[in-house]
Structures are given as C-alpha cells and as structure tokens.
Amino acid sequence: MKHLLENKEFRFNEVLFEHRNKEYGAYVLRNESDKILTKALFVGVSLLAAISVTPFVINAFKSDTIVLSDGGVEINLKDPVIPDDVILPPKVQPLQQTTAPVVKTFDNTVPTPSRTAPDTKKEEIPSDAIAGLKDNFKADPAPNTSYVPAAPTIGTGTIPTIPKVEIPKEDPSKIVEGSELSVEASYEGGINAFRDKVMNKFDTSGFEDNNGVVKTTVTFIVETNGTISGIKTDGKDASFNSEAARVIKQIKGSWKPGKNKQGQAVRSYFKFPISMKFEN
C-alpha cells in the first residue's frame, strides 16, 4: 500500500513538473517530503523524552533519602557544607544581670504638701552620701565619681602693640583754598545780607566826577574764630579800592570758617567783587 502511494505521488510529481526544470528545489523537496517528516518526528520525540527524564536523573544524584523495604521513607538530613570564605556572625553572649552596690543614700524625694504633716527632725546627711529614695546612712560610702577638669594652660607670649593711627593736624597758620576745602567760608546772615550792608555803608560822594562802571575785588582771610584779616583789593581806581576795604572792615558780624577734608575748621580766602555805575 505504501509503495502504491509513493508511486502515485511520484507520477503526480512527474506530471506536475513535466517540461520543467526538475532540478529545481521544489521537485526534490516534494519527492523527499516523507523522509524529512519521518526524521523530524523522530527528533521531536527524542527531545521530548530527554526533557522528561532529565529532572528524574538530577534528583537521583542529589537524593539524600533512604527507601526502606517496608515501603517507608527515612529522611537523612546532612549538615550543610559552609565554604571557607563565609564569615559567620559572632555569637552574642547574654548580658549578666548585676546588682548595684549598696551605698550611703539620703531621701531626695519631695514630700507631698499637707496641713496635718508632722514636723520630723531629720538626721544630718553625711558628706559621702548620694541622693536616693530613702535614708541609708549605715552603708558603705558612695564612690567619688565627680570629674574635675584640668586647669587650662595660659601662654606667656607677648601681645603685639597695635600702633595708633593719628590723623595729621592742619597747620593753624596755613591758608587752605580751592579743592582742599570741603566747606567754604560763609557769612552768618548769608551773602545777600553781607552785600546789602556793603552797599549801605559805601560812600559814593567822592566819585561824582567818574563816568561809567568802576570795579574792584576785595580778598580777605576768614579766620577759624570767625573774624576777617588781610584785606586786599585789585581794582584800577585807588580811591574806590580804599573805600571798599574800609567798608568791609567796618561791617559787624561773624563768619563761619571753612573746613578741610577732615572736617576741621581752617583759615581760607574769601573773594567779594564790587562794581558800581556812575553817571554825570
């Protein structure tokens, strides 16, 4: 029957691949399909059998049990083998309970306030007793556990002397001017009040013959005490210069001195221009 089927398959393949290249892969595969299927079935069954038997083989080598003749099973436990490089934790020894030594104590508890509490005289507390819950003056003295710190060592080195920074004092006779001043000298009533006083005291009767504008600049020193000195004029008319200096000298009132960068009062120049116009 098998040969009959093979012959039919062979004839079918011959008819199917007639007038075609029979060396093509499909022709060979169809003729050998039965052999390939048989080999695949054999290999699959073999692999399945090997996978099924493997666990039983492994357990047979690792089994530590002994099967008795009467059907019972005796379990034979073995101590595990510990490698040399494994460090076991040290065994912890249980703490031994010790009792505290009996020493001298005095009752340190605070009594409960009460109106009917009797007045009791207590025995003098020894100096070698410690605080406790009751008086026990007959026991051994308490050990001295007080800690006394060591006295610190103080060095005997020398302390460096820090030099004092002295601000240089301004020469009292020096006249400060320009950028060296932080505050310029000023009249107490203001520069306008000073100008009004100059105009009111100026005598113009000697300049009636003059025609035009007459100018001069009065320069004087404002002292640190508020007075003025060293009056000078630079106008072209000598008479006008003399009258301007006389008027400046007669004006009463004090001046506020100028100050240097350190805020100290200093002598300084003050310039006051005067100009008048005369018409005939």
PDB file of all heavy atoms in Angstrom, residues 113-152:
ATOM      1  N   PRO A 113       2.710  68.180  99.942  1.00  0.00           N
ATOM      2  CA  PRO A 113       2.229  69.193 100.893  1.00  0.00           C
ATOM      3  C   PRO A 113       0.961  68.719 101.612  1.00  0.00           C
ATOM      4  O   PRO A 113       0.051  68.154 100.996  1.00  0.00           O
ATOM      5  CB  PRO A 113       1.945  70.404 100.006  1.00  0.00           C
ATOM      6  CG  PRO A 113       2.720  70.175  98.760  1.00  0.00           C
ATOM      7  CD  PRO A 113       2.773  68.701  98.576  1.00  0.00           C
ATOM      8  N   SER A 114       0.913  68.930 102.907  1.00  0.00           N
ATOM      9  CA  SER A 114      -0.250  68.529 103.701  1.00  0.00           C
ATOM     10  C   SER A 114      -0.315  69.392 104.954  1.00  0.00           C
ATOM     11  O   SER A 114       0.715  69.752 105.536  1.00  0.00           O
ATOM     12  CB  SER A 114      -0.159  67.043 104.078  1.00  0.00           C
ATOM     13  OG  SER A 114      -1.227  66.677 104.928  1.00  0.00           O
ATOM     14  N   ARG A 115      -1.549  69.749 105.395  1.00  0.00           N
ATOM     15  CA  ARG A 115      -1.707  70.572 106.598  1.00  0.00           C
ATOM     16  C   ARG A 115      -1.403  69.785 107.866  1.00  0.00           C
ATOM     17  O   ARG A 115      -0.962  70.338 108.863  1.00  0.00           O
ATOM     18  CB  ARG A 115      -3.145  71.098 106.678  1.00  0.00           C
ATOM     19  CG  ARG A 115      -3.485  72.095 105.564  1.00  0.00           C
ATOM     20  CD  ARG A 115      -4.891  72.610 105.731  1.00  0.00           C
ATOM     21  NE  ARG A 115      -5.237  73.578 104.678  1.00  0.00           N
ATOM     22  CZ  ARG A 115      -6.420  74.186 104.595  1.00  0.00           C
ATOM     23  NH1 ARG A 115      -7.379  73.910 105.484  1.00  0.00           N
ATOM     24  NH2 ARG A 115      -6.641  75.043 103.621  1.00  0.00           N
ATOM     25  N   THR A 116      -1.660  68.487 107.806  1.00  0.00           N
ATOM     26  CA  THR A 116      -1.502  67.657 109.013  1.00  0.00           C
ATOM     27  C   THR A 116      -0.167  66.939 109.034  1.00  0.00           C
ATOM     28  O   THR A 116       0.031  66.017 109.818  1.00  0.00           O
ATOM     29  CB  THR A 116      -2.640  66.627 109.079  1.00  0.00           C
ATOM     30  OG1 THR A 116      -2.586  65.812 107.894  1.00  0.00           O
ATOM     31  CG2 THR A 116      -3.986  67.314 109.140  1.00  0.00           C
ATOM     32  N   ALA A 117       0.746  67.312 108.123  1.00  0.00           N
ATOM     33  CA  ALA A 117       2.037  66.629 108.081  1.00  0.00           C
ATOM     34  C   ALA A 117       2.824  66.962 109.334  1.00  0.00           C
ATOM     35  O   ALA A 117       2.978  68.138 109.692  1.00  0.00           O
ATOM     36  CB  ALA A 117       2.818  67.044 106.846  1.00  0.00           C
ATOM     37  N   PRO A 118       3.306  65.943 110.080  1.00  0.00           N
ATOM     38  CA  PRO A 118       4.048  66.211 111.321  1.00  0.00           C
ATOM     39  C   PRO A 118       5.438  66.741 111.007  1.00  0.00           C
ATOM     40  O   PRO A 118       6.019  66.441 109.976  1.00  0.00           O
ATOM     41  CB  PRO A 118       4.124  64.838 111.983  1.00  0.00           C
ATOM     42  CG  PRO A 118       4.068  63.879 110.851  1.00  0.00           C
ATOM     43  CD  PRO A 118       3.180  64.510 109.808  1.00  0.00           C
ATOM     44  N   ASP A 119       5.947  67.565 111.885  1.00  0.00           N
ATOM     45  CA  ASP A 119       7.310  68.066 111.759  1.00  0.00           C
ATOM     46  C   ASP A 119       8.267  67.011 112.273  1.00  0.00           C
ATOM     47  O   ASP A 119       8.207  66.612 113.448  1.00  0.00           O
ATOM     48  CB  ASP A 119       7.494  69.355 112.562  1.00  0.00           C
ATOM     49  CG  ASP A 119       6.644  70.488 111.990  1.00  0.00           C
ATOM     50  OD1 ASP A 119       6.339  70.414 110.793  1.00  0.00           O
ATOM     51  OD2 ASP A 119       6.291  71.405 112.762  1.00  0.00           O
ATOM     52  N   THR A 120       9.103  66.535 111.392  1.00  0.00           N
ATOM     53  CA  THR A 120      10.055  65.481 111.777  1.00  0.00           C
ATOM     54  C   THR A 120      11.458  66.034 111.659  1.00  0.00           C
ATOM     55  O   THR A 120      11.773  66.769 110.727  1.00  0.00           O
ATOM     56  CB  THR A 120       9.901  64.244 110.874  1.00  0.00           C
ATOM     57  OG1 THR A 120      10.086  64.650 109.518  1.00  0.00           O
ATOM     58  CG2 THR A 120       8.531  63.618 111.028  1.00  0.00           C
ATOM     59  N   LYS A 121      12.296  65.696 112.598  1.00  0.00           N
ATOM     60  CA  LYS A 121      13.678  66.111 112.564  1.00  0.00           C
ATOM     61  C   LYS A 121      14.498  65.052 111.843  1.00  0.00           C
ATOM     62  O   LYS A 121      14.443  63.883 112.207  1.00  0.00           O
ATOM     63  CB  LYS A 121      14.211  66.319 113.976  1.00  0.00           C
ATOM     64  CG  LYS A 121      13.549  67.478 114.700  1.00  0.00           C
ATOM     65  CD  LYS A 121      14.173  67.673 116.075  1.00  0.00           C
ATOM     66  CE  LYS A 121      13.520  68.858 116.795  1.00  0.00           C
ATOM     67  NZ  LYS A 121      14.124  69.067 118.141  1.00  0.00           N
ATOM     68  N   LYS A 122      15.180  65.470 110.868  1.00  0.00           N
ATOM     69  CA  LYS A 122      15.990  64.540 110.097  1.00  0.00           C
ATOM     70  C   LYS A 122      17.421  64.543 110.607  1.00  0.00           C
ATOM     71  O   LYS A 122      17.921  65.556 111.084  1.00  0.00           O
ATOM     72  CB  LYS A 122      15.980  64.910 108.609  1.00  0.00           C
ATOM     73  CG  LYS A 122      14.674  64.553 107.915  1.00  0.00           C
ATOM     74  CD  LYS A 122      14.835  64.672 106.419  1.00  0.00           C
ATOM     75  CE  LYS A 122      13.596  64.169 105.696  1.00  0.00           C
ATOM     76  NZ  LYS A 122      13.748  64.202 104.237  1.00  0.00           N
ATOM     77  N   GLU A 123      18.028  63.367 110.472  1.00  0.00           N
ATOM     78  CA  GLU A 123      19.426  63.239 110.868  1.00  0.00           C
ATOM     79  C   GLU A 123      20.306  63.966 109.876  1.00  0.00           C
ATOM     80  O   GLU A 123      19.967  64.097 108.703  1.00  0.00           O
ATOM     81  CB  GLU A 123      19.778  61.745 110.910  1.00  0.00           C
ATOM     82  CG  GLU A 123      21.138  61.451 111.527  1.00  0.00           C
ATOM     83  CD  GLU A 123      21.401  59.953 111.598  1.00  0.00           C
ATOM     84  OE1 GLU A 123      20.453  59.195 111.346  1.00  0.00           O
ATOM     85  OE2 GLU A 123      22.545  59.572 111.883  1.00  0.00           O
ATOM     86  N   GLU A 124      21.427  64.461 110.344  1.00  0.00           N
ATOM     87  CA  GLU A 124      22.346  65.194 109.472  1.00  0.00           C
ATOM     88  C   GLU A 124      22.858  64.278 108.366  1.00  0.00           C
ATOM     89  O   GLU A 124      23.255  63.143 108.615  1.00  0.00           O
ATOM     90  CB  GLU A 124      23.518  65.740 110.283  1.00  0.00           C
ATOM     91  CG  GLU A 124      24.440  66.631 109.461  1.00  0.00           C
ATOM     92  CD  GLU A 124      25.574  67.188 110.312  1.00  0.00           C
ATOM     93  OE1 GLU A 124      25.568  66.944 111.534  1.00  0.00           O
ATOM     94  OE2 GLU A 124      26.448  67.863 109.726  1.00  0.00           O
ATOM     95  N   ILE A 125      22.824  64.773 107.134  1.00  0.00           N
ATOM     96  CA  ILE A 125      23.212  63.967 105.966  1.00  0.00           C
ATOM     97  C   ILE A 125      24.723  63.925 105.873  1.00  0.00           C
ATOM     98  O   ILE A 125      25.385  64.964 105.883  1.00  0.00           O
ATOM     99  CB  ILE A 125      22.618  64.572 104.682  1.00  0.00           C
ATOM    100  CG1 ILE A 125      21.089  64.599 104.760  1.00  0.00           C
ATOM    101  CG2 ILE A 125      23.065  63.789 103.451  1.00  0.00           C
ATOM    102  CD1 ILE A 125      20.429  65.311 103.602  1.00  0.00           C
ATOM    103  N   PRO A 126      25.319  62.731 105.803  1.00  0.00           N
ATOM    104  CA  PRO A 126      26.781  62.628 105.675  1.00  0.00           C
ATOM    105  C   PRO A 126      27.242  63.206 104.339  1.00  0.00           C
ATOM    106  O   PRO A 126      26.503  63.220 103.346  1.00  0.00           O
ATOM    107  CB  PRO A 126      27.046  61.120 105.769  1.00  0.00           C
ATOM    108  CG  PRO A 126      25.810  60.538 106.346  1.00  0.00           C
ATOM    109  CD  PRO A 126      24.674  61.416 105.940  1.00  0.00           C
ATOM    110  N   SER A 127      28.482  63.651 104.330  1.00  0.00           N
ATOM    111  CA  SER A 127      29.037  64.243 103.111  1.00  0.00           C
ATOM    112  C   SER A 127      29.327  63.210 102.035  1.00  0.00           C
ATOM    113  O   SER A 127      29.455  63.544 100.854  1.00  0.00           O
ATOM    114  CB  SER A 127      30.318  65.010 103.439  1.00  0.00           C
ATOM    115  OG  SER A 127      31.272  64.129 104.012  1.00  0.00           O
ATOM    116  N   ASP A 128      29.449  61.917 102.414  1.00  0.00           N
ATOM    117  CA  ASP A 128      29.748  60.869 101.440  1.00  0.00           C
ATOM    118  C   ASP A 128      28.514  60.120 100.981  1.00  0.00           C
ATOM    119  O   ASP A 128      28.608  59.029 100.423  1.00  0.00           O
ATOM    120  CB  ASP A 128      30.776  59.885 102.020  1.00  0.00           C
ATOM    121  CG  ASP A 128      30.313  59.301 103.356  1.00  0.00           C
ATOM    122  OD1 ASP A 128      29.235  59.706 103.835  1.00  0.00           O
ATOM    123  OD2 ASP A 128      31.030  58.446 103.907  1.00  0.00           O
ATOM    124  N   ALA A 129      27.295  60.674 101.237  1.00  0.00           N
ATOM    125  CA  ALA A 129      26.047  60.047 100.793  1.00  0.00           C
ATOM    126  C   ALA A 129      25.588  60.682  99.495  1.00  0.00           C
ATOM    127  O   ALA A 129      25.901  61.832  99.195  1.00  0.00           O
ATOM    128  CB  ALA A 129      24.973  60.195 101.859  1.00  0.00           C
ATOM    129  N   ILE A 130      24.853  59.900  98.707  1.00  0.00           N
ATOM    130  CA  ILE A 130      24.324  60.386  97.437  1.00  0.00           C
ATOM    131  C   ILE A 130      22.812  60.403  97.498  1.00  0.00           C
ATOM    132  O   ILE A 130      22.194  59.794  98.391  1.00  0.00           O
ATOM    133  CB  ILE A 130      24.808  59.511  96.255  1.00  0.00           C
ATOM    134  CG1 ILE A 130      24.331  58.064  96.430  1.00  0.00           C
ATOM    135  CG2 ILE A 130      26.310  59.580  96.106  1.00  0.00           C
ATOM    136  CD1 ILE A 130      24.671  57.174  95.249  1.00  0.00           C
ATOM    137  N   ALA A 131      22.169  61.100  96.549  1.00  0.00           N
ATOM    138  CA  ALA A 131      20.711  61.203  96.519  1.00  0.00           C
ATOM    139  C   ALA A 131      20.087  59.854  96.213  1.00  0.00           C
ATOM    140  O   ALA A 131      20.573  59.085  95.377  1.00  0.00           O
ATOM    141  CB  ALA A 131      20.286  62.246  95.489  1.00  0.00           C
ATOM    142  N   GLY A 132      18.983  59.560  96.897  1.00  0.00           N
ATOM    143  CA  GLY A 132      18.269  58.307  96.693  1.00  0.00           C
ATOM    144  C   GLY A 132      16.818  58.452  97.091  1.00  0.00           C
ATOM    145  O   GLY A 132      16.291  59.574  97.198  1.00  0.00           O
ATOM    146  N   LEU A 133      16.153  57.302  97.286  1.00  0.00           N
ATOM    147  CA  LEU A 133      14.734  57.302  97.634  1.00  0.00           C
ATOM    148  C   LEU A 133      14.499  57.148  99.140  1.00  0.00           C
ATOM    149  O   LEU A 133      13.375  57.285  99.598  1.00  0.00           O
ATOM    150  CB  LEU A 133      14.004  56.183  96.880  1.00  0.00           C
ATOM    151  CG  LEU A 133      14.062  56.269  95.345  1.00  0.00           C
ATOM    152  CD1 LEU A 133      13.357  55.073  94.721  1.00  0.00           C
ATOM    153  CD2 LEU A 133      13.427  57.569  94.843  1.00  0.00           C
ATOM    154  N   LYS A 134      15.558  56.859  99.876  1.00  0.00           N
ATOM    155  CA  LYS A 134      15.399  56.696 101.330  1.00  0.00           C
ATOM    156  C   LYS A 134      16.725  57.001 102.008  1.00  0.00           C
ATOM    157  O   LYS A 134      17.778  57.055 101.358  1.00  0.00           O
ATOM    158  CB  LYS A 134      14.937  55.285 101.666  1.00  0.00           C
ATOM    159  CG  LYS A 134      15.938  54.207 101.287  1.00  0.00           C
ATOM    160  CD  LYS A 134      15.423  52.825 101.655  1.00  0.00           C
ATOM    161  CE  LYS A 134      16.446  51.742 101.297  1.00  0.00           C
ATOM    162  NZ  LYS A 134      15.989  50.397 101.711  1.00  0.00           N
ATOM    163  N   ASP A 135      16.633  57.206 103.323  1.00  0.00           N
ATOM    164  CA  ASP A 135      17.842  57.456 104.107  1.00  0.00           C
ATOM    165  C   ASP A 135      18.504  56.133 104.458  1.00  0.00           C
ATOM    166  O   ASP A 135      17.877  55.224 105.028  1.00  0.00           O
ATOM    167  CB  ASP A 135      17.485  58.217 105.384  1.00  0.00           C
ATOM    168  CG  ASP A 135      16.991  59.620 105.084  1.00  0.00           C
ATOM    169  OD1 ASP A 135      17.335  60.141 104.010  1.00  0.00           O
ATOM    170  OD2 ASP A 135      16.245  60.186 105.910  1.00  0.00           O
ATOM    171  N   ASN A 136      19.786  56.013 104.100  1.00  0.00           N
ATOM    172  CA  ASN A 136      20.549  54.813 104.434  1.00  0.00           C
ATOM    173  C   ASN A 136      21.975  55.269 104.726  1.00  0.00           C
ATOM    174  O   ASN A 136      22.835  55.304 103.862  1.00  0.00           O
ATOM    175  CB  ASN A 136      20.514  53.822 103.263  1.00  0.00           C
ATOM    176  CG  ASN A 136      21.225  52.512 103.611  1.00  0.00           C
ATOM    177  OD1 ASN A 136      21.560  52.264 104.779  1.00  0.00           O
ATOM    178  ND2 ASN A 136      21.445  51.672 102.613  1.00  0.00           N
ATOM    179  N   PHE A 137      22.178  55.650 105.990  1.00  0.00           N
ATOM    180  CA  PHE A 137      23.458  56.220 106.386  1.00  0.00           C
ATOM    181  C   PHE A 137      24.447  55.180 106.904  1.00  0.00           C
ATOM    182  O   PHE A 137      25.573  55.526 107.245  1.00  0.00           O
ATOM    183  CB  PHE A 137      23.247  57.293 107.458  1.00  0.00           C
ATOM    184  CG  PHE A 137      22.349  58.427 107.009  1.00  0.00           C
ATOM    185  CD1 PHE A 137      21.586  59.139 107.930  1.00  0.00           C
ATOM    186  CD2 PHE A 137      22.255  58.760 105.669  1.00  0.00           C
ATOM    187  CE1 PHE A 137      20.763  60.171 107.517  1.00  0.00           C
ATOM    188  CE2 PHE A 137      21.439  59.795 105.253  1.00  0.00           C
ATOM    189  CZ  PHE A 137      20.674  60.496 106.181  1.00  0.00           C
ATOM    190  N   LYS A 138      24.050  53.924 106.997  1.00  0.00           N
ATOM    191  CA  LYS A 138      24.919  52.898 107.574  1.00  0.00           C
ATOM    192  C   LYS A 138      25.651  52.074 106.513  1.00  0.00           C
ATOM    193  O   LYS A 138      26.437  51.196 106.861  1.00  0.00           O
ATOM    194  CB  LYS A 138      24.099  51.967 108.464  1.00  0.00           C
ATOM    195  CG  LYS A 138      23.497  52.664 109.674  1.00  0.00           C
ATOM    196  CD  LYS A 138      22.721  51.689 110.542  1.00  0.00           C
ATOM    197  CE  LYS A 138      22.119  52.388 111.765  1.00  0.00           C
ATOM    198  NZ  LYS A 138      21.385  51.434 112.627  1.00  0.00           N
ATOM    199  N   ALA A 139      25.358  52.301 105.275  1.00  0.00           N
ATOM    200  CA  ALA A 139      26.005  51.538 104.212  1.00  0.00           C
ATOM    201  C   ALA A 139      27.400  52.096 103.943  1.00  0.00           C
ATOM    202  O   ALA A 139      27.858  53.040 104.588  1.00  0.00           O
ATOM    203  CB  ALA A 139      25.152  51.565 102.946  1.00  0.00           C
ATOM    204  N   ASP A 140      28.054  51.462 102.951  1.00  0.00           N
ATOM    205  CA  ASP A 140      29.393  51.912 102.584  1.00  0.00           C
ATOM    206  C   ASP A 140      29.325  53.289 101.932  1.00  0.00           C
ATOM    207  O   ASP A 140      28.325  53.632 101.288  1.00  0.00           O
ATOM    208  CB  ASP A 140      30.041  50.919 101.616  1.00  0.00           C
ATOM    209  CG  ASP A 140      30.268  49.560 102.273  1.00  0.00           C
ATOM    210  OD1 ASP A 140      30.420  49.541 103.508  1.00  0.00           O
ATOM    211  OD2 ASP A 140      30.278  48.537 101.543  1.00  0.00           O
ATOM    212  N   PRO A 141      30.386  54.078 102.066  1.00  0.00           N
ATOM    213  CA  PRO A 141      30.377  55.403 101.422  1.00  0.00           C
ATOM    214  C   PRO A 141      30.273  55.273  99.898  1.00  0.00           C
ATOM    215  O   PRO A 141      30.774  54.327  99.303  1.00  0.00           O
ATOM    216  CB  PRO A 141      31.714  56.017 101.844  1.00  0.00           C
ATOM    217  CG  PRO A 141      32.139  55.226 103.037  1.00  0.00           C
ATOM    218  CD  PRO A 141      31.589  53.843 102.875  1.00  0.00           C
ATOM    219  N   ALA A 142      29.595  56.223  99.331  1.00  0.00           N
ATOM    220  CA  ALA A 142      29.457  56.230  97.867  1.00  0.00           C
ATOM    221  C   ALA A 142      30.785  56.600  97.233  1.00  0.00           C
ATOM    222  O   ALA A 142      31.504  57.459  97.735  1.00  0.00           O
ATOM    223  CB  ALA A 142      28.375  57.223  97.447  1.00  0.00           C
ATOM    224  N   PRO A 143      31.162  55.927  96.122  1.00  0.00           N
ATOM    225  CA  PRO A 143      32.441  56.265  95.470  1.00  0.00           C
ATOM    226  C   PRO A 143      32.400  57.675  94.880  1.00  0.00           C
ATOM    227  O   PRO A 143      31.353  58.142  94.435  1.00  0.00           O
ATOM    228  CB  PRO A 143      32.559  55.209  94.365  1.00  0.00           C
ATOM    229  CG  PRO A 143      31.148  54.778  94.101  1.00  0.00           C
ATOM    230  CD  PRO A 143      30.429  54.866  95.416  1.00  0.00           C
ATOM    231  N   ASN A 144      33.555  58.307  94.896  1.00  0.00           N
ATOM    232  CA  ASN A 144      33.664  59.667  94.359  1.00  0.00           C
ATOM    233  C   ASN A 144      33.834  59.595  92.840  1.00  0.00           C
ATOM    234  O   ASN A 144      34.874  59.195  92.338  1.00  0.00           O
ATOM    235  CB  ASN A 144      34.851  60.388  94.989  1.00  0.00           C
ATOM    236  CG  ASN A 144      34.925  61.848  94.558  1.00  0.00           C
ATOM    237  OD1 ASN A 144      33.983  62.356  93.965  1.00  0.00           O
ATOM    238  ND2 ASN A 144      36.028  62.501  94.874  1.00  0.00           N
ATOM    239  N   THR A 145      32.778  59.964  92.116  1.00  0.00           N
ATOM    240  CA  THR A 145      32.811  59.902  90.646  1.00  0.00           C
ATOM    241  C   THR A 145      32.792  61.296  90.028  1.00  0.00           C
ATOM    242  O   THR A 145      32.528  61.444  88.844  1.00  0.00           O
ATOM    243  CB  THR A 145      31.609  59.102  90.115  1.00  0.00           C
ATOM    244  OG1 THR A 145      30.391  59.719  90.594  1.00  0.00           O
ATOM    245  CG2 THR A 145      31.656  57.673  90.588  1.00  0.00           C
ATOM    246  N   SER A 146      33.008  62.301  90.841  1.00  0.00           N
ATOM    247  CA  SER A 146      32.988  63.666  90.300  1.00  0.00           C
ATOM    248  C   SER A 146      34.210  63.905  89.421  1.00  0.00           C
ATOM    249  O   SER A 146      35.301  63.428  89.713  1.00  0.00           O
ATOM    250  CB  SER A 146      32.948  64.691  91.438  1.00  0.00           C
ATOM    251  OG  SER A 146      34.092  64.553  92.260  1.00  0.00           O
ATOM    252  N   TYR A 147      34.011  64.646  88.384  1.00  0.00           N
ATOM    253  CA  TYR A 147      35.082  64.932  87.423  1.00  0.00           C
ATOM    254  C   TYR A 147      35.533  66.379  87.596  1.00  0.00           C
ATOM    255  O   TYR A 147      34.719  67.304  87.575  1.00  0.00           O
ATOM    256  CB  TYR A 147      34.590  64.716  85.990  1.00  0.00           C
ATOM    257  CG  TYR A 147      35.550  65.216  84.937  1.00  0.00           C
ATOM    258  CD1 TYR A 147      36.737  64.542  84.678  1.00  0.00           C
ATOM    259  CD2 TYR A 147      35.272  66.388  84.225  1.00  0.00           C
ATOM    260  CE1 TYR A 147      37.624  65.006  83.722  1.00  0.00           C
ATOM    261  CE2 TYR A 147      36.150  66.851  83.272  1.00  0.00           C
ATOM    262  CZ  TYR A 147      37.327  66.155  83.023  1.00  0.00           C
ATOM    263  OH  TYR A 147      38.202  66.617  82.080  1.00  0.00           O
ATOM    264  N   VAL A 148      36.816  66.535  87.818  1.00  0.00           N
ATOM    265  CA  VAL A 148      37.394  67.869  87.977  1.00  0.00           C
ATOM    266  C   VAL A 148      38.235  68.155  86.731  1.00  0.00           C
ATOM    267  O   VAL A 148      39.243  67.478  86.508  1.00  0.00           O
ATOM    268  CB  VAL A 148      38.265  67.956  89.248  1.00  0.00           C
ATOM    269  CG1 VAL A 148      38.866  69.355  89.372  1.00  0.00           C
ATOM    270  CG2 VAL A 148      37.438  67.601  90.474  1.00  0.00           C
ATOM    271  N   PRO A 149      37.823  69.099  85.895  1.00  0.00           N
ATOM    272  CA  PRO A 149      38.593  69.373  84.677  1.00  0.00           C
ATOM    273  C   PRO A 149      39.932  69.995  85.000  1.00  0.00           C
ATOM    274  O   PRO A 149      40.097  70.710  85.986  1.00  0.00           O
ATOM    275  CB  PRO A 149      37.692  70.353  83.905  1.00  0.00           C
ATOM    276  CG  PRO A 149      36.837  71.003  84.948  1.00  0.00           C
ATOM    277  CD  PRO A 149      36.625  69.961  86.019  1.00  0.00           C
ATOM    278  N   ALA A 150      40.892  69.700  84.157  1.00  0.00           N
ATOM    279  CA  ALA A 150      42.227  70.250  84.353  1.00  0.00           C
ATOM    280  C   ALA A 150      42.237  71.730  84.004  1.00  0.00           C
ATOM    281  O   ALA A 150      41.525  72.178  83.107  1.00  0.00           O
ATOM    282  CB  ALA A 150      43.236  69.498  83.479  1.00  0.00           C
ATOM    283  N   ALA A 151      43.011  72.463  84.754  1.00  0.00           N
ATOM    284  CA  ALA A 151      43.103  73.910  84.515  1.00  0.00           C
ATOM    285  C   ALA A 151      43.790  74.175  83.187  1.00  0.00           C
ATOM    286  O   ALA A 151      44.773  73.511  82.851  1.00  0.00           O
ATOM    287  CB  ALA A 151      43.873  74.578  85.649  1.00  0.00           C
ATOM    288  N   PRO A 152      43.268  75.091  82.393  1.00  0.00           N
ATOM    289  CA  PRO A 152      43.903  75.371  81.094  1.00  0.00           C
ATOM    290  C   PRO A 152      45.252  76.035  81.266  1.00  0.00           C
ATOM    291  O   PRO A 152      45.485  76.776  82.218  1.00  0.00           O
ATOM    292  CB  PRO A 152      42.897  76.309  80.412  1.00  0.00           C
ATOM    293  CG  PRO A 152      42.161  76.962  81.539  1.00  0.00           C
ATOM    294  CD  PRO A 152      42.090  75.934  82.636  1.00  0.00           C
TER     295      PRO A 152
END
